Amino acid sequence: MATNAPTTRVAHIVRRAQWRVAMFSIACVSLLLALTGLIALREYELRAMELTARSIALAGEPAIRFNDRAAMRELIEQLAMPAQLAEDDVTDAHGQAWLRFEQPVGDASDRWARRIEHWLVGTPASASIGPERSSLGRIALRSDGDTLMRYVLRAVLALLLCVAAAALVVWWHSRRLAAAIVAPIDALALLTHQVRESRSFERRAGRAAVAEVDALADDFNALLSELQSQQMLIEQRHADLQRVNASLWTLSHHDALTSLPNRTYLRMHLAKAMEQEREPGHRIGLVFIDADRFKQINDRHGHAAGDALLIELAERLRRSIRESDFIARLGGDEFVVVLEPMRHALDVSSLTDRIQAEMNRLVVLKPGVQLPHISVSMGVAVFPDHADTLDGLIRAADDAMYRAKSTARGSVVNFLPIKDTTLPATTPPPSDDST
């Protein structure tokens, strides 16, 4: 089942966690300090307003006693600015409104200050005018909230400064953390990718400042060492297997005495050549070669001399063929030469002439035993003129060779006349006085 690859890096996770912790800590501390400050400021504001209310009540008692509203207003207006008064309600002894003073609302800052005062303080400060038992009335005051407004602004500014300082600290610690943890992990991940892609097990991870990451790097290096050892062992075994396979292939496809390709190798080569030469006009020549009177030489001079004769025959045949031709030993004293490519009928006669020229030289089988030359009979067949199958071609060349033996030992016979050739079907054998 396909899964989405993770895209979050360690540095991002750590930085996010640091930010969350820092912001949570700042928020908690700021909230605690703000609440503490607001409660203290609210109490201070209430006490200040109550003190102002008592002062106005004491100073304004004659005015309310003699019902002098103008004097009371004048008194309140004198104290409004210094005491930061926004509203002042005076009631008489019966609770009826006697005088109301309200400071005009200024700009937006003034409006926000009064709203903050209403939210935080709520209840206005009040004081009785005259003795409580024979009160002449009450006075209720509200502050304009300027002090509270300044405190709130300072608190917000302090919070912003704390956030900026926290951001700086988080950034600095993130860089240090990246250098200590993230960078070694990234390097280890890159090394893992490179090893997987290039199979370079000789690479090693570097040291890290963090103990856990360093231990991980040590374990990874140990794993690479084991993999490198295993790879070297596998490569060595593979090379050994290749050498053994090559040796077995050579043994199974070559003759042990002459080191020439054997019958199996011949059939493989010939089948491949016939498959490639299916186009019109392409032909393959097959020359079947047999040593004359080999059994007599073997019986007269011993098997060692016979083996020496076969080795010498194989060497001379090697020197006779072209580089593109193929020679094999079928067994006993029988050899086969494959002419490939065969572009003209003269290619066959040129080959047989070279072979006979090589055979017409002295042969030393062992000390005291020598032959003036080697007599061979050769039969020739051409694909596809004489046969269009592998077995048919070998059989045709073999039949031609036996006809050469029965006609005259040391001669060359074609299975059938070869097209576009002017050579006679039978080539007279060389003199054979010694055999």
Side-chain angles (χ1 to χ4, degrees):
M1 183 173 60
T3 57
N4 294 328
T7 57
T8 304
R9 294 174 56 85
V10 175
H12 296 163
I13 296 174
V14 172
R15 192 173 295 116
R16 215 162 36 227
Q18 288 178 327
W19 267 107
R20 288 172 180 171
V21 172
M23 291 301 101
F24 179 77
S25 301
I26 292 174
C28 291
V29 173
S30 299
L31 182 60
L32 179 61
L33 292 177
L35 288 177
T36 305
L38 286 175
I39 293 173
L41 187 60
R42 180 178 180 276
E43 292 299 320
Y44 167 77
E45 189 81 3
L46 285 174
R47 297 298 177 267
M49 287 298 102
E50 289 177 357
L51 183 58
T52 302
R54 290 194 188 100
S55 300
I56 295 176
L58 183 61
E61 182 179 350
I64 195 171
R65 187 179 295 276
F66 296 102
N67 199 23
D68 188 354
R69 288 183 172 84
M72 180 63 80
R73 181 176 291 277
E74 183 180 356
L75 175 62
I76 294 173
E77 289 177 351
Q78 290 176 356
L79 296 175
M81 291 300 294
Q84 297 180 349
L85 298 180
E87 298 176 6
D88 191 346
D89 292 318
V90 182
T91 57
D92 57 16
H94 302 290
Q96 300 296 322
W98 185 76
L99 178 67
R100 176 173 176 76
F101 171 82
E102 185 174 358
Q103 192 79 276
V105 180
D107 54 9
S109 176
D110 190 24
R111 287 196 298 272
W112 276 106
R114 296 193 183 191
R115 290 178 184 174
I116 292 174
E117 198 278 337
H118 276 281
W119 292 340
L120 296 179
V121 178
T123 304
S126 62
S128 176
I129 302 174
E132 286 288 342
R133 294 183 179 180
S134 58
S135 176
L136 300 176
R138 291 192 70 83
I139 183 168
L141 304 178
R142 280 188 179 278
S143 172
D144 59 4
D146 185 63
T147 302
L148 289 174
M149 180 70 173
R150 286 198 301 270
Y151 174 81
V152 171
L153 291 177
R154 289 169 183 166
V156 172
L157 179 60
L159 179 61
L160 294 178
L161 290 176
C162 288
V163 170
L168 183 61
V169 171
V170 168
W171 174 80
W172 183 69
H173 279 288
S174 296
R175 288 181 61 87
R176 292 193 60 187
L177 191 63
I181 298 179
V182 179
I185 291 178
D186 286 343
L188 192 59
L190 178 61
L191 177 62
T192 304
H193 178 75
Q194 292 174 346
V195 169
R196 182 173 63 86
E197 291 291 329
S198 62
R199 315 294 293 177
S200 303
F201 297 118
E202 71 278 1
R203 295 174 179 266
R204 293 295 181 269
R207 308 296 300 182
V210 180
E212 290 79 4
V213 179
D214 190 62
L216 178 62
D218 287 341
D219 291 340
F220 186 73
N221 289 337
L223 178 61
L224 288 179
S225 298
E226 293 181 8
L227 291 176
Q228 185 179 13
S229 300
Q230 291 295 327
Q231 185 186 37
M232 293 175 63
L233 181 61
I234 291 173
E235 290 176 352
Q236 182 179 356
R237 289 181 177 177
H238 181 67
D240 293 342
L241 286 175
Q242 285 184 322
R243 286 193 294 270
V244 171
N245 289 337
S247 177
L248 290 176
W249 193 92
T250 301
L251 291 175
S252 62
H253 291 80
H254 288 78
D255 176 53
L257 178 64
T258 62
S259 298
L260 290 177
N262 58 15
R263 182 186 298 271
T264 303
Y265 199 175
L266 169 68
R267 294 182 67 86
M268 291 172 54
H269 178 83
L270 192 57
K272 183 178 180 181
M274 293 173 67
E275 185 65 27
Q276 294 175 345
E277 300 293 336
R278 291 291 181 182
E279 298 182 9
H282 291 186
R283 294 187 295 175
I284 300 172
L286 190 69
V287 181
F288 206 106
I289 305 169
D290 184 85
D292 295 330
R293 299 184 179 91
F294 174 74
K295 186 176 183 305
Q296 297 176 12
I297 296 173
N298 207 32
D299 293 342
R300 182 184 302 175
H301 302 291
H303 292 290
D307 290 344
L309 178 62
L310 292 175
I311 294 173
E312 181 65 24
L313 176 59
E315 184 60 30
R316 295 188 182 190
L317 289 175
R318 279 197 190 97
R319 294 197 297 264
S320 302
I321 64 175
R322 302 172 303 180
E323 186 176 354
S324 60
D325 296 338
F326 182 87
I327 182 172
R329 182 191 177 194
L330 292 185
D333 58 346
E334 295 179 339
F335 298 83
V336 171
V337 174
V338 180
L339 285 84
E340 181 194 5
M342 178 182 169
R343 298 182 177 86
H344 195 273
L346 290 176
D347 293 342
V348 177
S349 60
S350 297
L351 172 66
T352 57
D353 289 344
R354 290 195 302 273
I355 292 174
Q356 286 182 339
E358 283 287 339
M359 301 303 161
N360 289 331
R361 291 189 295 108
L362 180 68
V363 182
V364 179
L365 301 180
K366 61 182 181 178
V369 178
Q370 60 184 23
L371 300 175
H373 67 276
I374 302 175
S375 176
V376 295
S377 299
M378 293 179 278
V380 179
V382 177
F383 169 84
D385 297 5
H386 303 152
D388 58 359
T389 64
L390 187 151
D391 291 328
L393 186 64
I394 295 176
R395 188 165 48 252
D398 188 29
D399 291 345
M401 186 271 297
Y402 276 107
R403 280 197 286 127
K405 274 188 174 294
S406 61
T407 301
R409 294 182 183 274
S411 62
V412 181
V413 172
N414 295 328
F415 178 73
L416 289 173
I418 303 174
K419 296 178 182 179
D420 71 3
T421 181
T422 57
L423 298 177
T426 303
T427 303
S431 60
D432 191 15
D433 297 337
S434 63
T435 58

